[in-house]
Amino acid sequence: MKKILLTSTILIVLGISIHAQQGRVGINTTSPAATLDIQANTSSNSLPDAILVPRLTRAQLEAKNAAYTNGTGAANQNGALVFVNDATSGTGTGKTINVKNVGFYYYDAPNAVWVAVTPNLKVSVGTAETPTNTLVGSSQIYAIKGSFNATGTSSTVSIPSPPGMTSLYSITIYKTGSGVVYDRSLYSYTISTNAGNAVTGSPNMSVIYPGGSYDYVIEYLK
C-alpha cells in the first residue's frame, strides 16, 4: 500500500514538474494549449464550469488601495481583475472613482484607477451632476443638463457653472422641445454662477440665437 501511494505521489509531482517546465497548466485537459487552458467538464451537468475572480464590495476594494501599485515584478498589479458586487459602499473616489456599477473591473496601474471591463455606455444626464464614462487621463468627466433663454438681440446667455467645475470639456445645445442638436460650441465661457457668463457662437465669432428657450448638456472637469 505504501509503495502504491509513493508511486502515485511521485507521478503527481513529476506531472506538475513537466507542466511547469513547459510553462503551461491544464484543467480538465492533459494537453494545455496556452499558459492556462481550462476545458469544460461536459461529462457532468451538475458541476458548473466557470472562472471565479475575487469578489469584493467597493468599500473592500478601497481598503486595499495601498496594495495596488505600478511597481515592477510582484509589485506590479497592472491588469489585475476583480468583480465588484456592491458599488454603493465606500466613497467612490481616488482609485475607485470609476466604480459606479456592479461588474468586472481591471486595474490601470499607470493611471492608478480601476476601469470597467464592459462599461455601461448609456448615461442618463439630468439636472443633477452625473459622472460620465469618459476620463481625461485619470480625471473624471461630469455632465449636467440645464436651459437658458436667448433674447434674440444679444449673444450673451446664462449657463451657470456647477459647483467645483474647473474647466469646460464640451457643450451640446438643443432647441427646447425639438430634441435636435442646435450647436456644439460657444464663443466664450466664464466659470461663474453670475448671469451672462456665456456667449453663444463658434470659437471664432459670436452668434445671436433666435429668441426662445434652449436646453443644454455641459461636460466638465472638477
Side-chain angles (χ1 to χ4, degrees):
M1 183 66 178
K2 290 183 179 179
K3 290 183 179 180
I4 294 174
L5 288 174
L6 181 60
T7 302
S8 299
T9 302
I10 292 173
L11 288 174
I12 291 172
V13 172
L14 182 60
I16 293 173
S17 175
I18 291 172
H19 287 308
Q21 289 174 2
Q22 292 176 342
R24 298 177 181 180
V25 175
I27 298 177
N28 294 331
T29 177
T30 57
S31 303
T35 305
L36 176 61
D37 186 355
I38 303 175
Q39 298 289 322
N41 182 1
T42 56
S43 62
S44 175
N45 292 329
S46 63
L47 297 175
D49 287 301
I51 297 175
L52 289 175
V53 301
R55 291 158 286 179
L56 307 94
T57 66
R58 185 170 68 181
Q60 290 171 332
L61 188 58
E62 287 175 358
K64 295 178 177 287
N65 273 347
Y68 294 93
T69 68
N70 189 24
T72 58
N76 187 355
Q77 286 80 41
N78 193 32
L81 183 68
V82 299
F83 183 83
V84 174
N85 54 20
D86 175 10
T88 61
S89 61
T91 62
T93 58
K95 291 182 178 180
T96 59
I97 192 170
N98 300 322
V99 181
K100 306 296 182 184
N101 301 290
V102 170
F104 289 97
Y105 291 82
Y106 70 89
Y107 186 60
D108 177 3
N111 291 308
V113 291
W114 289 95
V115 180
V117 173
T118 53
N120 181 6
L121 299 179
K122 294 182 179 180
V123 176
S124 179
V125 179
T127 55
E129 180 175 88
T130 304
T132 71
N133 291 322
T134 303
L135 293 178
V136 175
S138 59
S139 299
Q140 175 72 52
I141 298 295
Y142 298 88
I144 197 167
K145 182 180 179 181
S147 62
F148 64 83
N149 289 314
T151 63
T153 58
S154 172
S155 59
T156 300
V157 297
S158 298
I159 303 178
S161 305
M165 176 181 178
T166 58
S167 62
L168 179 66
Y169 180 72
S170 71
I171 185 167
T172 304
I173 300 171
Y174 307 82
K175 190 72 173 71
T176 299
S178 70
V180 177
V181 175
Y182 189 83
D183 204 348
R184 293 185 184 273
S185 62
L186 290 171
Y187 176 67
S188 67
Y189 183 79
T190 301
I191 297 177
S192 171
T193 56
N194 296 331
N197 66 319
V199 176
T200 54
S202 69
N204 298 320
M205 63 182 296
S206 62
V207 175
I208 297 175
Y209 281 11
S213 178
Y214 296 81
D215 294 330
Y216 65 83
V217 172
I218 58 171
E219 294 182 287
Y220 56 95
L221 290 95
K222 298 177 67 175

